[in-house]
Amino acid sequence: MLTPTARVEFSGVNANDTIGLSTAQAQLRLAESGYNELTPPRSRRLHTITAEMLREPIFLLLLAAGGIYLLLGAVSDALMLLGFVAIIIGMTVFQAQKSERVLEALRDLSSPRARVVRDGRQQRIAGREVVPGDLLLLGEGDRVAADAVLLSCNDLFADESMLTGESVPVRKQPGGADTAAREPGGDDQPFVYAGTVLVQGSGIGRVTATGHASALGQIGKSLQDTQGGTSPLRIQTGVLVRRLVFIAVVLCLSLVLIYGYTHGHWLNALLAGITLAMSTLPEEFPVILSIFMSLGAWRISRRHVLTRRLDAIETLGATTVLCTDKTGTLTENRMVIRKLYGDGQMLDVHDLNALPEPWHELVEFGILASEREPFDPMERALHELGNRTLAGSEHLHDAWQIVHEYSLSPEMPAMSHVWQGDDQPHHSVAAKGAPEAIIDLCHLSEEQVQALGQIAAEMADGGLRVLGVARAMLLPGESWPERQHDIEFSFVGLLGLQDPLRADVKEAIGQCHAAGIRVVMITGDHARTAQAIARELGLPANQVLSGAELETLSDGVLRARLREVQVFARIVPQQKLRLVEAFKANGEIVAMTGDGVNDAPALKAAHIGVAMGSRGTDVAREAAGLVLLNDDFASLVATVRLGRRIYDNLRRAMSYVLAVHLPIVAMAMLPVLLGEPLLLMPAHIMFLELVIGPVCSIFFEAEAEEKNIMQRPPRAANEALFGGRQLAFSLLQGGIAVCVTVAIYLWARAAGYDEDTVRALVFTSMVAGNIALVFGNRTQNASGLEKNPTLRWILPGAGGGLLLVLSVPVLRELFHFSGSLALMLFTAVLAAGSVYLLIMAIKPAMRPDA
């Protein structure tokens, strides 16, 4: 496990700090503090999730009905009903268990290998075995194993974007073992943090926190403690289901009492009540939700979007606020050089393949001031520009060697490389760093300082990260100056770097605005950078709320400010979570996009979390409801469109279900009230509800979208699934179907048909009326005969099923049918035509958007 190497010696560090822990001390501390990994959450067991589901009224009633059928000896009916319950529970349990994997992803992310000093020797151990007090050896490209205070470092830069959202690596400086802990972010901190990546330099650090005590662990705890958003549609559906269950219970009890007292047969009365319960219990609603969400997930997967939470699809269609991180979400999370300033001229280098002569020296010495094989994104951008525009020229020096280096320091935020060329009589010195530092190194006049300072400020106002470049010469034989400031530098120019916007982001945000969705940018960058990016995107940038200012605001004041501000800068992870919660408190439906560990708590708290798939972390993807596999905002807009279409069609499907229940309830009660034998049996109800119902929900899911779907504002958060007109239209359709079915029932009785023939005629009219109701609830843009892909099998399937039970002797006996097949088919055409024509006559006046 431990690999000892030669004893290590350090310079610039107190000798007492170089020994590190002994193996015995490390084992003792490991026993005290535990492994350096995030504590996994207490997973909900299968029986816990199932118990939560069974507390819902609908499942309690369905289970009770199945149990009564077993007591009555109707085993097949009981098994069908209980099997239906098991399928719904199984789907819900599957979704619940997926959400429990998020902290496991965090554990994997935060457990790299580590080099430590124990017993005075360098050893490489598993990151989970690092303990507080260990001496960490840090180098370029390492992922830090634990939070540590730096005892020594050389040109050390860390990418902390996963914790802070800052796109530019931050500079580190040494501290002491007693240095007070600080929050991540900003230059010149003496701390490195677990999970971050070192992009340049090296250092030695004393571990201060591991596992859940680290900064990364605090994010994990925040994520574990965060309550996930609940889909508004799921809440509304639950309310609707509970109301229908109450009505069903009242009707069933009434029917049992009436039948028992009027006929004196309480067993038959119980059977009548159970039959009515099956016709009124709204078990179709969870089925429709599952089918719509599953097929919706399949549809959006074709647009490179992965659905992790099915109800996220419809909620995204109602989103009013889209909170988006800048780094890696709106931008590409890399640096490119946009502008060069030298010799009094500004050059935009975007897409240039050949660099004009006046700027050759600027790029040449910018590269010389960088590492030969850079890890830092800004140095990579310099090398990329040089290779693209100076290839084959005398300004690239692959054969030169670095003979001396000057590191950055808090007093002088610039670095210099001294180079020896094969054929030059002197040493070339290249320096780059903060513009004010480079200007200071060059000992310029006051007028030059002010002019260059103004140019650098204008470049920064444009959202650019500005670096200055200088050059100098040192003669051979001279001793190296102790500090950079003692070298006679000449000013070369300024570099303007930028994390570029994704190509299609601006257009996608414009489509969100057209759809009434308010886009909010939340970033860890400086306010000036955030403003420049916001202006480029077309976001209102007059007001920017910083993280420091946010800390001073009460919850009430913050909620008021959120109505005006759309750009947030210098935001830390806990503040992102607070912003999402504040938007929710304002009644907004919140979607949050992100790709880093720092985004995960807010992703989980939002109604919809949208993670980036290509660049996003496992933590963000596990916490989110949707994952953009290609990180493309155009896919996000397509998902919004699909979410709205799904909700529209869901309302149509549920309107249909409510309407189709009315004739079923009527024919379950009417014969009893008239003193006649029971007409509908459990087999008939199951045929209507478990075959035709799901089939028709698939039909509605495939309906085309409305023409104005992306030119209308999001629906209100408190909008009922059935508004006034929607509910009235549904009840009126059901009333028409009731009238037609009752008319056929009364006609058949008056004509003297026997009980089984009457039952067959009524059942046939109900199935035919069901088909008519499907067409009566179609999209407003569609005509009755417009093609829908599912029509190819819905009509043959429903018609074929009805033909089988009417014509096959075994099925006729099971369903207690008799009578002429021709009479049944005539009744079907008559019922379907009557219901459809009456619905189409009232539809223009009663449609919900009229």
Side-chain angles (χ1 to χ4, degrees):
M1 178 179 64
L2 302 179
T3 306
T5 65
R7 184 171 296 276
V8 182
E9 296 182 358
F10 305 97
S11 60
V13 183
N14 189 305
N16 294 328
D17 290 330
T18 65
I19 299 176
L21 300 177
S22 67
T23 301
Q25 286 176 321
Q27 291 175 346
L28 180 62
R29 295 195 180 187
L30 184 63
E32 294 174 349
S33 63
Y35 283 111
N36 179 31
E37 56 186 1
L38 301 184
T39 304
R42 294 183 178 179
S43 301
R44 291 188 298 166
R45 297 182 181 276
L46 179 63
H47 66 82
T48 304
I49 299 173
T50 305
E52 292 174 358
M53 287 292 301
L54 294 180
R55 284 197 290 269
E56 292 292 328
I58 181 173
F59 291 108
L60 292 174
L61 288 172
L62 288 172
L63 290 172
I68 294 175
Y69 274 113
L70 288 175
L71 293 176
L72 294 174
V75 177
S76 58
D77 292 326
L79 292 179
M80 279 194 295
L81 196 59
L82 294 176
F84 187 64
V85 173
I87 291 173
I88 298 175
I89 292 177
M91 294 173 63
T92 305
V93 168
F94 175 74
Q95 290 298 317
Q97 288 182 328
K98 284 173 62 177
S99 66
E100 298 295 328
R101 296 202 304 262
V102 64
L103 286 186
E104 182 178 349
L106 261 176
R107 294 174 63 200
D108 294 339
L109 181 65
S110 61
S111 184
R113 303 290 293 180
R115 288 185 302 145
V116 300
V117 176
R118 289 183 180 171
D119 299 322
R121 297 181 182 275
Q122 176 183 333
Q123 303 181 13
R124 182 174 291 275
I125 64 174
R128 68 193 299 264
E129 296 173 359
V130 172
V131 297
D134 260 328
L135 203 62
L136 282 180
L137 302 181
L138 305 167
E140 183 176 305
D142 288 350
R143 186 178 292 277
V144 181
D147 290 3
V149 59
L150 290 168
L151 305 179
S152 173
C153 65
N154 179 39
D155 289 343
L156 189 61
F157 282 75
D159 178 0
E160 297 181 351
S161 61
M162 64 181 299
L163 294 175
T164 66
E166 291 182 282
S167 57
V168 177
V170 294
R171 182 176 59 247
K172 297 296 181 180
Q173 294 296 328
D178 57 350
T179 305
R182 303 178 194 172
E183 291 290 329
D187 287 326
D188 300 326
Q189 283 218 42
F191 293 95
V192 289
Y193 300 94
T196 61
V197 177
L198 303 179
V199 300
Q200 180 179 308
S202 59
I204 306 166
R206 178 77 68 184
V207 174
T208 58
T210 60
H212 60 270
S214 67
L216 181 62
Q218 293 303 308
I219 291 179
K221 183 178 185 301
S222 173
L223 181 60
Q224 184 178 354
D225 295 341
T226 300
Q227 296 296 321
T230 302
S231 163
L233 180 58
R234 188 170 293 279
I235 295 173
Q236 294 182 34
T237 303
V239 172
L240 177 63
V241 165
R242 284 189 287 273
R243 290 175 179 173
L244 293 177
V245 166
F246 175 77
I247 294 173
V249 171
V250 172
L251 290 177
C252 291
L253 291 177
S254 300
L255 186 63
V256 169
L257 293 175
I258 293 173
Y259 193 101
Y261 280 112
T262 57
H263 293 75
H265 301 291
W266 289 100
L267 186 59
N268 288 339
L270 186 59
L271 179 60
I274 294 299
T275 303
L276 180 60
M278 292 183 63
S279 66
T280 53
L281 286 176
E283 66 266 24
E284 296 95 345
F285 287 103
V287 174
I288 291 174
L289 270 176
S290 297
I291 290 174
F292 267 66
M293 297 304 108
S294 298
L295 291 179
W298 170 74
R299 290 185 186 280
I300 70 171
S301 69
R302 299 171 67 185
R303 290 179 168 86
H304 308 290
V305 179
L306 173 66
T307 304
R308 296 199 65 259
R309 253 182 39 217
L310 292 179
D311 57 5
I313 302 170
E314 56 83 16
T315 309
L316 187 58
T319 298
T320 58
V321 171
L322 174 55
C323 299
T324 174
D325 188 28
K326 179 187 76 69
T327 304
T329 305
L330 298 176
T331 65
E332 298 179 7
N333 199 23
R334 65 184 181 93
M335 301 300 290
V336 297
I337 296 178
R338 289 298 191 201
K339 292 187 176 182
L340 300 176
Y341 176 81
D343 197 21
Q345 302 178 69
M346 187 74 73
L347 177 68
D348 189 336
V349 298
H350 183 61
D351 292 336
L352 279 182
N353 292 320
L355 197 64
E357 180 65 32
W359 290 275
H360 285 188
E361 186 181 57
L362 175 57
V363 177
E364 175 186 4
F365 278 87
I367 293 174
L368 289 175
S370 305
E371 298 295 332
R372 188 179 294 276
E373 296 181 359
F375 196 83
D376 178 84
M378 291 187 291
E379 294 188 351
R380 284 183 175 181
L382 265 168
H383 277 266
E384 188 277 330
L385 178 63
N387 293 332
R388 191 177 81 237
T389 62
L390 298 178
S393 72
E394 60 183 5
H395 298 285
L396 298 181
H397 309 285
D398 294 336
W400 286 17
Q401 298 295 323
I402 295 178
V403 294
H404 193 65
E405 295 184 54
Y406 293 92
S407 302
L408 294 100
S409 67
E411 298 79 18
M412 180 55 65
M415 60 183 295
S416 299
H417 287 168
V418 182
W419 294 85
Q420 175 63 58
D422 293 334
D423 55 354
Q424 61 178 3
H426 59 271
H427 295 125
S428 293
V429 186
K432 68 175 173 63
E436 60 273 15
I438 296 298
I439 291 171
D440 183 41
L441 287 176
C442 295
H443 306 289
L444 301 176
S445 66
E446 185 64 28
E447 292 78 8
Q448 291 174 311
V449 170
Q450 291 181 0
L452 290 174
Q454 182 177 353
I455 293 170
E458 291 174 355
M459 294 173 70
D461 288 338
L464 300 179
R465 170 83 177 208
V466 184
L467 294 178
V469 176
R471 62 171 297 177
M473 290 188 301
L474 293 176
L475 296 177
E478 295 182 359
S479 61
W480 305 122
E482 292 185 5
R483 54 186 189 141
Q484 298 176 81
H485 207 274
D486 296 333
I487 302 174
E488 293 293 331
F489 279 102
S490 298
F491 184 79
V492 178
L494 300 173
L495 305 169
L497 298 99
Q498 184 184 54
D499 186 2
L501 294 178
R502 295 185 182 276
D504 52 3
V505 161
K506 190 172 182 179
E507 179 183 356
I509 289 179
Q511 293 183 39
C512 288
H513 288 166
I517 299 173
R518 188 168 169 236
V519 179
V520 172
M521 186 174 72
I522 302 175
T523 178
D525 279 333
H526 290 280
R528 191 160 54 184
T529 302
Q531 274 186 310
I533 296 295
R535 291 192 185 100
E536 189 174 354
L537 290 170
L539 295 176
N542 294 331
Q543 298 188 55
V544 177
L545 185 63
S546 68
E549 184 182 357
L550 188 150
E551 284 297 316
T552 66
L553 302 180
S554 66
D555 290 343
V557 174
L558 176 59
R559 289 197 297 268
R561 290 292 303 276
L562 293 186
R563 298 185 177 95
E564 304 171 353
V565 181
Q566 288 185 235
V567 181
F568 299 84
R570 284 297 188 190
I571 301 297
V572 298
Q574 294 80 3
Q575 292 173 331
K576 289 185 178 184
L577 179 59
R578 187 183 175 200
L579 286 172
V580 170
E581 297 290 2
F583 275 118
K584 291 167 66 176
N586 277 347
E588 306 282 3
I589 302 298
V590 183
M592 169 72 185
T593 69
D595 61 355
V597 176
N598 60 308
D599 296 321
L603 288 175
K604 188 175 181 182
H607 292 103
I608 301 296
V610 185
M612 301 295 113
S614 298
R615 298 180 183 268
T617 62
D618 288 341
V619 180
R621 287 191 289 267
E622 290 291 323
L626 299 174
V627 179
L628 302 181
L629 298 177
N630 57 0
D631 295 358
D632 190 350
F633 255 60
S635 298
L636 178 59
V637 175
T639 306
V640 172
R641 178 186 296 271
L642 277 171
R644 294 186 175 195
R645 166 188 166 181
I646 289 170
Y647 185 82
D648 288 347
N649 289 341
L650 185 61
R651 292 183 68 180
R652 295 186 183 97
M654 291 192 170
S655 177
Y656 152 79
V657 168
L658 184 62
V660 81
H661 269 81
L662 296 184
I664 299 175
V665 172
M667 297 316 301
M669 295 185 66
L670 184 61
V672 175
L673 297 177
L674 295 178
E676 297 292 330
L678 292 175
L679 193 66
L680 296 180
M681 300 296 180
H684 307 130
I685 306 299
M686 297 301 287
F687 183 94
L688 290 168
E689 296 196 358
L690 297 183
V691 178
I692 297 179
V695 166
C696 292
S697 67
I698 294 173
F699 172 87
F700 286 117
E701 191 280 333
E703 278 289 86
E705 65 190 40
E706 299 285 358
K707 294 179 180 178
N708 66 339
I709 197 166
M710 290 298 285
Q711 282 75 48
R712 67 191 191 204
R715 65 181 185 271
N718 59 352
E719 177 180 309
L721 190 60
F722 288 119
R725 283 180 176 270
Q726 184 79 29
L727 179 60
F729 185 45
S730 179
L731 293 176
L732 193 54
Q733 291 179 85
I736 291 172
V738 168
C739 291
V740 171
T741 304
V742 170
I744 291 175
Y745 170 67
L746 296 176
W747 166 78
R749 288 183 62 230
Y753 289 112
D754 62 79
E755 179 183 329
D756 286 352
T757 302
V758 172
R759 180 178 292 110
L761 289 170
V762 170
F763 181 80
T764 300
S765 67
M766 293 176 68
V767 173
N770 193 328
I771 300 297
L773 286 171
V774 170
F775 284 90
N777 281 278
R778 293 198 66 187
T779 303
Q780 301 298 334
N781 297 330
S783 64
L785 298 178
E786 186 176 340
K787 290 184 179 180
N788 182 312
T790 61
L791 282 176
R792 299 173 184 173
W793 55 273
I794 281 183
L795 290 180
L802 178 61
L803 188 62
L804 286 175
V805 298
L806 291 176
S807 59
V808 177
V810 174
L811 295 178
R812 283 168 61 93
E813 182 178 353
L814 176 64
F815 279 76
H816 304 283
F817 288 162
S818 64
S820 167
L821 179 60
L823 177 62
M824 304 304 159
L825 296 179
F826 172 77
T827 303
V829 173
L830 178 64
S834 301
V835 172
Y836 179 74
L837 291 176
L838 288 172
I839 290 175
M840 296 307 293
I842 66 169
K843 189 172 184 178
M846 293 301 299
R847 65 189 186 192
D849 60 346

